[in-house]
Amino acid sequence: MSQTPQSFEELEARITADYPSMSRRLQQTARFLLDHPQDVAFATVARLAQDAAVTPSTLIRFANSCGFKGFSEMQQLFRSRLVDELPNYTERIRAVRSATGETPDSTQLLWEFAEANRDALEQLPGRIDPKGLEQALDILDEASAIHVLGARRSFVVANYMTYALHHIEKPAFLVNGLGGMYGEQIRAIGQQDALIAVSFSPYAEESLRATEQARSHGVPTVVITDSSLSPLARLADVVLVVHEAEVKSFRGLAASLCLTQSLAIALGMRKDREKEQSSRPGDEERA
């Protein structure tokens, strides 16, 4: 059995390859899906079936033939494509309205985002490997200084992490690439320091290049990302995978901010414990 497509590009290639062997009805479905990817991203199965002039069961059967458990699983790839290709919020809003024909009010949106982020937060502790979390803290604890990198959407998380580290009195520097100086900032990282790289799909090229440069210099690296298949994951000493909420192609940051806050506070508790232990008189002094 062929592997289930993991991206829209893989799905498109799979459909193209399988098209000649499909039944007439599945070929009709394939043409509609590839010709109207924006509509497929958000519309219901019933709406899509009506527009494609097929039955809802045909859409589900088509998804199953591509290796998916259900239509919604395949639909997620169409949504991810839209997020990658329409980075502008105004364009995404128009795409959602066009595909669904709906304009939810502000209270409805608030409930949707709140519920989606709540679910992401509830799942977070179970997704993070405790050993990986402790390994990340070991790296950060031993580092003379911590440099934090995050571009575009990830910048919010990186900026907060830097702020939190300052408040536990851990030397920290935000790698912000100001003036296009990512390379210069990365070269300033010592081998006794550590790097935290934050990056989510579609993975900013500047973050990938900067992390590669840091690793080539032997800098210990903790990566916070959304998939173990992320291109930054292969560069990390420790990978912490976070799955964020997504509502109508808009992804949240609640889980990532919760993770970084937990890292900073846990590191602060370690530092406080180490201070307390070092201030205790030794056995010889007590004798």
Side-chain angles (χ1 to χ4, degrees):
M1 185 176 181
S2 301
Q3 186 177 2
T4 304
Q6 300 297 310
S7 66
F8 180 81
E9 290 73 19
E10 290 182 12
L11 175 61
E12 188 175 33
R14 172 78 167 269
I15 293 173
T16 301
D18 293 350
Y19 184 84
S21 61
M22 291 179 183
S23 67
R24 183 178 61 83
R25 189 64 70 189
L26 289 185
Q27 285 182 340
Q28 177 182 341
T29 303
R31 289 195 299 271
F32 175 82
L33 295 178
L34 295 184
D35 289 345
H36 305 85
Q38 185 169 299
D39 294 337
V40 177
F42 298 107
T44 63
V45 171
R47 164 81 181 271
L48 291 172
Q50 180 180 356
D51 291 347
V54 298
T55 63
S57 62
T58 301
L59 288 175
I60 296 171
R61 185 156 53 92
F62 182 89
N64 294 154
S65 72
C66 292
F68 298 99
K69 296 178 182 178
F71 184 80
S72 60
E73 186 180 356
M74 183 180 72
Q75 188 178 40
Q76 186 60 41
L77 298 187
F78 285 83
R79 291 181 178 174
S80 296
R81 167 195 171 275
L82 190 64
V83 170
D84 294 348
E85 293 190 359
L86 297 179
N88 182 281
Y89 273 23
T90 300
E91 292 177 6
R92 289 190 207 173
I93 291 170
R94 288 173 181 165
V96 172
R97 292 182 60 189
S98 173
T100 63
E102 299 176 353
T103 303
D105 63 29
S106 56
T107 302
Q108 180 183 343
L109 280 174
L110 179 58
W111 273 105
E112 288 186 35
F113 277 107
E115 290 179 0
N117 280 295
R118 180 196 63 197
D119 291 342
L121 286 170
E122 287 180 347
Q123 295 172 20
L124 177 63
R127 292 183 185 275
I128 299 295
D129 178 18
K131 290 183 179 178
L133 195 61
E134 290 302 315
Q135 289 171 358
L137 287 168
D138 288 342
I139 290 173
L140 302 180
D141 191 18
E142 294 169 7
S144 298
I146 299 172
H147 303 254
V148 191
L149 165 68
R152 305 181 196 179
R153 185 167 69 100
S154 307
F155 180 79
V156 174
V157 182
N159 195 43
Y160 172 77
M161 186 63 181
T162 309
Y163 164 85
L165 291 171
H166 283 305
H167 277 269
I168 62 167
E169 299 180 356
K170 183 74 176 183
F173 303 91
L174 179 64
V175 182
N176 55 21
L178 187 63
M181 297 179 68
Y182 277 107
E184 289 80 358
Q185 290 178 328
I186 291 296
R187 282 197 293 273
I189 303 177
Q191 291 188 354
Q192 302 305 313
D193 297 345
L195 173 69
I196 299 176
V198 188
S199 185
F200 308 117
S201 178
Y203 310 115
E205 186 67 21
E206 52 266 47
S207 294
L208 177 58
R209 297 281 83 84
T211 305
E212 287 177 336
Q213 183 181 350
R215 289 300 291 157
S216 70
H217 295 161
V219 177
T221 302
V222 175
V223 165
I224 298 174
T225 188
D226 54 6
S227 171
S228 57
L229 300 177
S230 162
L232 279 81
R234 61 181 172 81
L235 303 170
D237 292 287
V238 179
V239 182
L240 300 175
V241 176
V242 180
H243 293 272
E244 288 290 3
E246 183 174 328
V247 177
K248 295 180 172 60
S249 87
F250 296 94
R251 296 171 182 167
L253 288 172
S256 300
L257 289 169
C258 180
L259 175 60
T260 53
Q261 185 176 44
S262 301
L263 281 170
I265 300 304
L267 185 61
M269 288 184 173
R270 277 195 179 197
K271 285 171 60 63
D272 189 60
R273 186 167 59 247
E274 290 166 3
K275 278 184 180 179
E276 183 179 330
Q277 291 173 347
S278 64
S279 65
R280 291 174 183 170
D283 293 338
E284 295 82 5
E285 294 176 354
R286 288 199 299 269

